[in-house]
Amino acid sequence: MFPTHRPRRLRQHPQLRRMVQETLVTQADLIYPLFAVPGDQVAKEVSSMPGVYQLSIDKIVEEAKEVYDLGIPAIILFGIPDEKDTDATGAWHDCGIVQKATTAVKEAVPDLMVIVDTCLCEYTSHGHCGYLEVGDLSGRVLNDPTLELLKKTAVAQANAGADIIAPSGMMDGFVQAIRAGLDESGFEDLPILSYAAKYASAYYGPFRDAAESAPQFGDRRTYQMDPANGTEALKEIELDIAEGADMLMVKPALAYMDIIWRVKQATNLPVAAYNVSGEYAMVKAAALNGWIDEQKVVMETMTSFKRSGADLILTYHAKDVARWLG
């Protein structure tokens, strides 16, 4: 009891605070998202995400080299195709934009891990994550036919040189289908990072600008999770683990740190947190207006993700964080 116990004793000196710090963020925790588009020498800034760009493959390679030099171990690739259709052809075609970007990055920076987002919304003309019933404007995706598209997409991405497959469509059985497809094609050792607990969140708005993936009608609440549900996330991760997931993701992160904690307590698999576009955009907007100290707020947020149980952090702040860490 006071005055014998004085917790402030361990806060008196910067080096002492550093010695007793419980949670540490490092460059190895970070994954940097990149958006690939057709063309050459293209670097188009996303208006709702200052500092984030749609990049042609030559520019993606330049970014990949910079990321690797900063000590960040991995990128995750998203693609915007030339054309979209109801079969999401650009997602699974051997010459799809993500496949071409993956091969280019692996040739230029072989030791950088390339994670590929395995989803269909950027490639469908309606903006939903799979096949729809003809004439249905509710956005209800046909689950089982869509699994075949996801399987084809994952195999094409693996053939292009991807190091990690990251399915994000929240279809029932998607991990099992992709695992089967990869194994049948000789990719038994290729890991799956499943978007296991992905919520139907309002925080995704700026991403849909970047990936040009907003639904043309309806919404994604028939396949993404209700933000009010926590126990359901544990059911989702249990299913994905049983189906063969090697790593698990919670998305978004900032408003879902309780879910990150619960997922981490429920599994011994690595857990990733996706610090999504809306979270990034809010910080950037406040910083640009001089309302917050960007570096301090971002580092506090990254530390909070780690403290809540995240082993990996997907974040658009990754390059800045790596520089600040030195």
Side-chain angles (χ1 to χ4, degrees), residues 40 88 96 144 160 170 182 214 225 296 311:
D40 186 60
D144 294 6
M170 289 297 287
L182 292 173
M225 290 176 54
K296 289 181 179 179
D311 301 290

Side-chain angles (χ1 to χ4, degrees), residues 261-300:
W261 174 258
R262 292 176 71 177
V263 168
K264 188 60 181 177
Q265 296 305 300
T267 178
N268 56 9
L269 295 184
V271 175
Y274 200 140
N275 178 211
V276 299
S277 60
E279 299 165 4
Y280 171 88
M282 290 190 301
V283 169
K284 279 291 183 181
L288 288 170
N289 277 286
W291 297 337
I292 60 170
D293 183 314
E294 182 177 357
Q295 179 175 341
K296 289 181 179 179
V297 167
V298 170
M299 291 307 301
E300 182 176 341

Side-chain angles (χ1 to χ4, degrees), residues 33-106:
L34 290 170
F35 298 91
V37 295
D40 186 60
Q41 294 293 304
V42 176
K44 180 183 177 183
E45 189 169 26
V46 180
S47 60
S48 55
M49 299 177 70
V52 173
Y53 295 81
Q54 294 178 334
L55 300 169
S56 52
I57 291 174
D58 53 317
K59 292 291 187 179
I60 290 275
V61 169
E62 291 178 13
E63 281 287 288
K65 292 176 179 177
E66 182 181 0
V67 166
Y68 182 73
D69 288 343
L70 286 168
I72 299 169
I75 59 172
I76 182 167
L77 287 175
F78 299 89
I80 300 96
D82 261 327
E83 297 181 359
K84 304 186 180 196
D85 56 40
T86 56
D87 292 321
T89 304
W92 50 263
H93 195 282
D94 288 340
C95 293
I97 185 68
V98 163
Q99 285 82 311
K100 291 165 70 174
T102 297
T103 300
V105 170
K106 292 306 295 183

Side-chain angles (χ1 to χ4, degrees), residues 2-191:
F2 179 82
T4 303
H5 296 286
R6 293 178 179 266
R8 291 184 58 193
R9 290 173 183 148
L10 299 184
R11 304 172 193 156
Q12 300 306 306
H13 192 281
Q15 293 291 20
L16 183 54
R17 292 195 296 272
R18 181 182 170 205
M19 289 168 62
V20 299
Q21 183 175 333
E22 298 175 21
T23 305
L24 184 65
V25 177
T26 74
Q27 287 93 338
D29 301 323
L30 305 173
I31 298 168
Y32 189 52
L34 290 170
F35 298 91
V37 295
D40 186 60
Q41 294 293 304
V42 176
K44 180 183 177 183
E45 189 169 26
V46 180
S47 60
S48 55
M49 299 177 70
V52 173
Y53 295 81
Q54 294 178 334
L55 300 169
S56 52
I57 291 174
D58 53 317
K59 292 291 187 179
I60 290 275
V61 169
E62 291 178 13
E63 281 287 288
K65 292 176 179 177
E66 182 181 0
V67 166
Y68 182 73
D69 288 343
L70 286 168
I72 299 169
I75 59 172
I76 182 167
L77 287 175
F78 299 89
I80 300 96
D82 261 327
E83 297 181 359
K84 304 186 180 196
D85 56 40
T86 56
D87 292 321
T89 304
W92 50 263
H93 195 282
D94 288 340
C95 293
I97 185 68
V98 163
Q99 285 82 311
K100 291 165 70 174
T102 297
T103 300
V105 170
K106 292 306 295 183
E107 288 176 353
V109 198
D111 289 335
L112 181 69
M113 299 296 286
V114 175
I115 305 169
V116 286
D117 179 74
T118 306
C119 195
L120 307 173
C121 59
E122 298 106 310
Y123 307 93
T124 56
S125 51
H126 45 67
H128 284 283
C129 299
Y131 283 124
L132 302 180
E133 191 76 56
V134 176
D136 184 353
L137 298 182
S138 69
R140 187 179 67 85
V141 174
L142 298 175
N143 193 92
D144 294 6
T146 296
L147 298 182
E148 294 302 311
L149 284 182
L150 291 171
K151 183 190 296 187
K152 288 168 60 176
T153 300
V155 171
Q157 292 169 335
N159 283 325
D163 295 298
I164 299 172
I165 301 295
S168 62
M170 289 297 287
M171 296 295 110
D172 293 340
F174 70 157
V175 173
Q176 178 176 298
I178 288 170
R179 183 74 272 160
L182 292 173
D183 291 355
E184 290 163 6
S185 301
F187 294 104
E188 299 91 347
D189 294 330
L190 197 63

